[in-house]
Every structure is written in structure tokens, then in C-alpha cells.
Amino acid sequence: MATQQTGAVTLGRPRSAGPWRAISNFVTRKPLGAFGALIIIIMGLMAVVGPYMTAWDPLEWNLASKLEWPSGEHWLGTDEMGRDLWSRMMSGARISLLVGFASVAFGSGAGGVIGVISGWYGGKVDNSIQRIMDALMSIPTLILAMAITAALSTSLTNIIIAIGIVQIPRANRVVRSQVLAVKESQYVDAARSIGAGNLRIMTLHIAPQCVAPWLIISTGALGIAILTEASLSFLGLGVPQPEPSWGGMLTGPVRDWFILYPYLAIWPGLALSLAVYGFNLFGDAIRDVLDPRLRGT
């Protein structure tokens, strides 16, 4: 497109909106989604810099200070072992968010790849894969995660694997349905006509069209993953003690003190609720922005 210059004014191709303009538009159009993103950012800062903002070791016992209510010295109080709850909350954020993001990256990533393969090849390949997905989806999420964790033993890596496996069927179904809708498009036929192989078509022409629905399902799965990790920890199948996690702070001997010292349950419970709430708000906003059927609503 040719440009015309008149004095200092240049008429031509408009500049694309920068990232700050995009963020501003998102905040204006989706304030609840922006609030959810703010919660996620705060949680991330807690995980990264929080442990350095306290002088207390989250693993150090101090029986002389056990079960102290919140004070200037211990901002959130201490637990039954005298450990500072503020430092344990900060370290617990690191564990909970790590499990959430890593398990969703593994589960949704694997489910997306399997979904592309299943939808593209169809036939016996599709039928075989989908029957496995049906079997996984027939088992309740928490029960399946408990069974996998119990079989693999409790460790941070095994918990990530267990929760990731639970996430595979949902991502698989969403991506597969998108592949079935896209693979009959004219540009796919054109790629076939010039001799493009299956791998090239799947990676360059099919997979990019599945990014939006995959991102939507992955964002929504983050809250579920964090809640599943907390449930496993509450049942004694989570991150091994004494490593702090928000779910682990609600289990063990702590449960005997909840009535007399309710703050022991309030802080980790509030953190879990806010994390799930933030991811759900942000996930809904991402869905509204990326789904063409909802962009005008």
C-alpha cells in the first residue's frame, strides 16, 4: 500500500496495537478476567519472592512458640510445631502452583497431541484411542489420581504425573473435535494436493487451529489441578511432609486443633479458594476472547 506524505503527517498502513493496548482492552472488556489474572500474578509473586520475605524457616520447629495467634512477630500465627505460618504459606504457594502448571502442561500437552493424531487418522486409530479415553473418563478424577499416586508412591514428580494423566482425556476430546472440523478444509486439501505428508499437515496446518480451544481447556484445568493436589495432600497422598503445601497444611495433627485455633485452616483454605477462583475467572475470560461465537457478547 503506497504512502502519501503531507508535511509531518504520514498516511499508510496503521500500526498494530501494542501489548499494553491489548492488555488495556482486555481489562476494559473483561474486568472479572483481569481480576482473576491479578490474583494469579499475586500468587506467582508469593511463590517466587515470598520465601525471601520472611526471616523464619518454614521447616524449623519452635515448640516454645507453638499455636500462637497472629501477631507482629508471626503475621499469620504458628502451627502445632511452632512453625511460622506466613513462611509456610509462601513456600506452599511454590509447591501448589508448580504442581498445577506442570501437571496441566504435561496432561493437556499429551492430550492435545493425542487428540490431533486421533482426529487426523480416524478409523481404527481413532476408535482405539477414544476407548482408552472413555475408560479414563469413566473413573472419578480424584479416585483416578489417588490410584495412580498410590501405585507410583508419593513424591512431587509422581503427583504431577498422576494429576497430568487425569487431565489427558478432556484435552484430547476438545482438540480431536477441532481436528475433525478442520481437516476437511480447502487449505488442507491444497496441502495434500502438493504432496505434503501427514506430519507436515498436522504440525503446520492442523495443530495451529487447535491452539485456541486447547488454551481455553488448559487454563480452566489449572484450578482443578491445584484443588486435586490439595485433596491428595489432605488424604495423605500429596507432597511428603515436612514440605509445606496448602493442602498438606490442612491435614495431619492440625485437624485436631481447628476448633480451638481456626486460623490454622483459614489461611491455607483461603489461599486455595482464591487460587481456584482466580484461574476460573481468567479461564472464562480467555474463553470469551478466543471463542469466535462469544466475542460479541
Side-chain angles (χ1 to χ4, degrees):
M1 180 177 179
T3 60
Q4 300 177 357
Q5 293 187 355
T6 305
V9 179
T10 302
L11 302 176
R13 187 182 301 276
R15 294 182 179 179
S16 59
W20 293 111
R21 176 63 62 84
I23 294 174
S24 176
N25 291 338
F26 179 79
V27 171
T28 302
R29 293 178 54 198
K30 301 295 177 183
L32 288 179
F35 179 65
L38 178 62
I39 294 176
I40 296 171
I41 292 172
I42 293 174
M43 296 286 181
L45 290 176
M46 287 173 57
V48 174
V49 303
Y52 304 103
M53 296 174 60
T54 175
W56 301 98
D57 186 340
L59 304 181
E60 182 180 357
W61 290 15
N62 185 7
L63 296 179
S65 302
K66 69 177 183 178
L67 296 173
E68 288 187 1
W69 285 77
S71 63
E73 186 177 10
H74 299 284
W75 295 351
L76 301 183
T78 60
D79 64 6
E80 79 284 357
M81 298 296 180
R83 295 171 295 194
D84 181 68
L85 286 182
W86 169 258
S87 62
R88 289 182 66 78
M89 286 288 295
M90 298 301 104
S91 297
R94 179 175 296 179
I95 296 294
S96 296
L97 293 181
L98 173 62
V99 171
F101 280 101
S103 61
V104 169
F106 164 63
S108 295
V113 172
I114 296 172
V116 171
I117 295 172
S118 177
W120 173 253
Y121 285 102
K124 293 182 179 180
V125 174
D126 185 36
N127 288 332
S128 301
I129 291 175
Q130 295 314 307
R131 297 301 75 78
I132 297 174
M133 296 299 114
D134 289 340
L136 291 176
M137 294 185 70
S138 66
I139 306 174
T141 299
L142 184 58
I143 301 299
L144 180 58
M146 288 173 57
I148 297 172
T149 305
L152 296 176
S153 76
T154 55
S155 68
L156 182 60
T157 302
N158 291 341
I159 291 170
I160 291 173
I161 293 173
I163 299 176
I165 292 174
V166 171
Q167 305 289 340
I168 290 177
R170 295 181 62 198
N172 171 268
R173 289 297 178 85
V174 171
V175 172
R176 172 181 175 270
S177 63
Q178 183 71 8
V179 173
L180 292 175
V182 168
K183 74 176 187 177
E184 302 300 333
S185 301
Q186 292 182 354
Y187 62 85
V188 176
D189 293 336
R192 285 172 174 162
S193 67
I194 62 175
N198 290 330
L199 182 60
R200 181 179 179 84
I201 294 175
M202 284 190 293
T203 55
L204 297 182
H205 303 288
I206 299 293
Q209 304 302 318
C210 303
V211 171
W214 177 84
L215 184 60
I216 293 170
I217 198 70
S218 299
T219 307
L222 285 167
I224 298 175
I226 291 175
L227 197 57
T228 303
E229 184 276 328
S231 301
L232 291 174
S233 296
F234 183 78
L235 296 171
L237 294 172
V239 179
Q241 294 291 340
E243 287 295 329
S245 70
W246 291 338
M249 294 173 68
L250 296 171
T251 190
V254 176
R255 286 178 289 186
D256 300 331
W257 302 97
F258 280 173
I259 296 178
L260 296 177
Y261 303 94
Y263 66 87
L264 293 174
I266 289 175
W267 303 128
L270 182 62
L272 284 170
S273 299
L274 284 175
V276 175
Y277 183 60
F279 280 116
N280 286 344
L281 287 179
F282 185 64
D284 289 343
I286 291 295
R287 179 201 61 197
D288 295 345
V289 170
L290 296 181
D291 192 335
R293 296 168 297 181
L294 300 174
R295 286 178 183 170
T297 61

